[in-house]
Amino acid sequence: MQARPLEGIRVIDYSHFLAGPYVGRCLAGLGAEVIKVERPGSGDAGRQHATVLDDKQSGYFLQLNMGKRGVSVNMKDPRGKAFMQRLCDSADVFIENYRPGALDKLGLGYAALSERNPRLIYCSISAYGHTGPDAHRAGFGLIAEAKSGIMQMVGTPGERPPLLRISLGDMYTGIHAVAAINAALLGRERSGRGQHIDMALYDTLVSMHEYAVQCYTMQGVLPEQTGHDMPTSTLYGVFRASDGDLVIAAQVDDAWKRFAELVEKNGGPAGFGADGRFHTLTGRNTFREEILSVVQPWVAAHSVAKILALLDSVDVPCAKVQRIDEVLSDPQIVARGMVVEQHHPRYGTLRLPNLPFRFSDCDTAIRDVAPDHGQHNAEVAQSLGFTPAEIEAMQSEGVLYSR
């Protein structure tokens, strides 16, 4: 097995909640040494987020901070500030997701840190980025999802758009930040210098539009809510069977013909499979309501398992709409190792989502659990050259905080 790609790279994760910690988690999986820095007292606000296990950890924090070492530094003490400066001097990457300008007050902005460490790659993640008229505004993924036009396109026509229920803005921005950091590390090999990466949740979600922008700029059409299917891609959507829901993707001509013939042979109207009006995408979109009037009751008359078996037999893409318990027991997910098991000294066996990276010759699964608050203070301080006496004094006087 090869060494993981980022072994030897030191990352300072000075972030909280989701987008920044997810970047750190990904870099840890790729082999980097990631040091999670938290403020004394409550620490990362993610510790009190959903699925709280006790007053120290939550499932949210455990998932996003696995594989990291943890320190907690009192930046109000001059010794704490000196500790952070030495830590950042030793780093290759610094991650933060505070409002633009917030870390300048602590001496942890890009200008100050890059002056001391010109090779530092400094990644900022914020709602709107560090430039533009909204740069000063606070925001979360929900704000970016609403502003980006994505939320307006989902849901049932005439009703309020639903919450997406996954943190699309944070996760999509996070993985773009991972890509940008790796590109900057490669660029540093040639230039010898780091740089500032400015990631915005709003930017990344706008970049995600694969057709809505073109619909408007090229045709003057505003995408609207469509409910359970895609009027521009018939037949592509969610359908209700007798015992649950499934999705069918028969929008490509060849798949449609196989699908329509199958429906006709299994109780559908005579001639449905041979109806030439439906053999092109334009035709299917034009006669969409007529097609749905056949397909919806046909699906509803059978179980999910029956419909899936029929569609699989003619190679039409389909899937059950699964609950999370079904996802975790799905043989495909098990075979791909997409649930990682960790042993936690307080909570026992943890089962959490794995990262989707797959390399032919190295393992990116993270086995080390998320750190306790300030767990690695002494270890990290020692790596920075502090003496045992200095470390003991900083710990006893609260400069290096731990629970």
Side-chain angles (χ1 to χ4, degrees), residues 13 15-18 21-22 25 36-38 42-53 56-71 342 344 346-347 350 352 369-375:
D13 182 352
S15 66
H16 57 166
F17 277 124
L18 178 51
Y22 179 70
R25 181 197 173 185
K36 170 81 173 183
V37 181
E38 300 180 76
S42 59
D44 183 341
R47 288 184 179 274
Q48 284 76 48
H49 209 276
T51 319
V52 175
L53 298 176
K56 302 180 181 67
Q57 302 275 35
S58 70
Y60 184 92
F61 184 88
L62 290 167
Q63 177 175 330
L64 293 168
N65 293 282
M66 61 175 67
K68 304 175 186 179
R69 296 198 289 169
V71 300
Q342 299 177 323
H344 196 282
R346 287 199 301 279
Y347 312 126
L350 302 176
L352 297 166
V369 298
D372 283 336
H373 198 168
Q375 179 179 342

Side-chain angles (χ1 to χ4, degrees), residues 189-395:
E189 293 300 304
R190 293 189 288 267
S191 69
R193 293 188 59 83
Q195 57 185 304
H196 184 203
I197 298 169
D198 177 10
M199 302 294 304
L201 275 64
Y202 191 13
D203 290 352
T204 53
L205 288 186
V206 170
S207 79
M208 196 173 186
H209 284 296
E210 84 283 10
Y211 81 97
V213 171
Q214 298 93 312
C215 282
Y216 180 68
T217 60
M218 295 180 183
Q219 297 180 318
V221 176
L222 285 170
E224 298 292 342
Q225 293 170 304
T226 63
H228 304 296
D229 73 321
M230 294 272 285
T232 57
S233 295
T234 309
L235 181 90
Y236 187 93
V238 185
F239 296 87
R240 175 145 290 177
S242 62
D243 60 350
D245 298 322
L246 69 151
V247 295
I248 302 173
Q251 79 282 21
V252 180
D253 290 350
D254 289 345
W256 165 260
K257 292 173 185 177
R258 296 193 301 272
F259 174 77
E261 290 171 2
L262 176 77
V263 172
E264 181 179 347
K265 291 176 182 178
N266 289 271
F272 186 68
D275 195 327
R277 296 177 302 161
F278 307 152
H279 286 181
T280 66
L281 179 60
T282 300
R284 289 192 296 279
N285 290 341
T286 300
F287 298 103
R288 168 174 164 266
E289 292 298 336
E290 184 175 340
I291 289 172
L292 291 177
S293 71
V294 171
V295 174
Q296 288 174 339
W298 180 78
V299 173
H302 302 283
S303 68
V304 170
K306 175 69 173 178
I307 295 291
L308 294 180
L310 287 170
L311 296 183
D312 282 341
S313 72
V314 293
D315 197 27
V316 171
C318 58
K320 181 182 180 182
V321 177
Q322 297 192 130
R323 302 183 309 266
I324 286 296
D325 60 329
E326 295 172 312
V327 174
L328 297 181
S329 61
D330 189 323
Q332 179 67 18
I333 290 301
V334 174
R336 296 283 291 174
M338 277 308 301
V339 179
V340 64
E341 289 195 357
Q342 299 177 323
H343 176 73
H344 196 282
R346 287 199 301 279
Y347 312 126
T349 299
L350 302 176
R351 299 178 69 229
L352 297 166
N354 202 353
L355 294 171
F357 307 135
R358 292 294 176 273
F359 292 84
S360 64
D361 205 24
C362 61
D363 182 10
T364 58
I366 299 175
R367 305 300 176 190
D368 295 332
V369 298
D372 283 336
H373 198 168
Q375 179 179 342
H376 301 100
N377 286 340
E379 180 183 314
V380 173
Q382 185 177 20
S383 77
L384 298 175
F386 287 96
T387 67
E390 289 173 323
I391 295 170
E392 173 61 31
M394 287 192 293
Q395 288 181 318

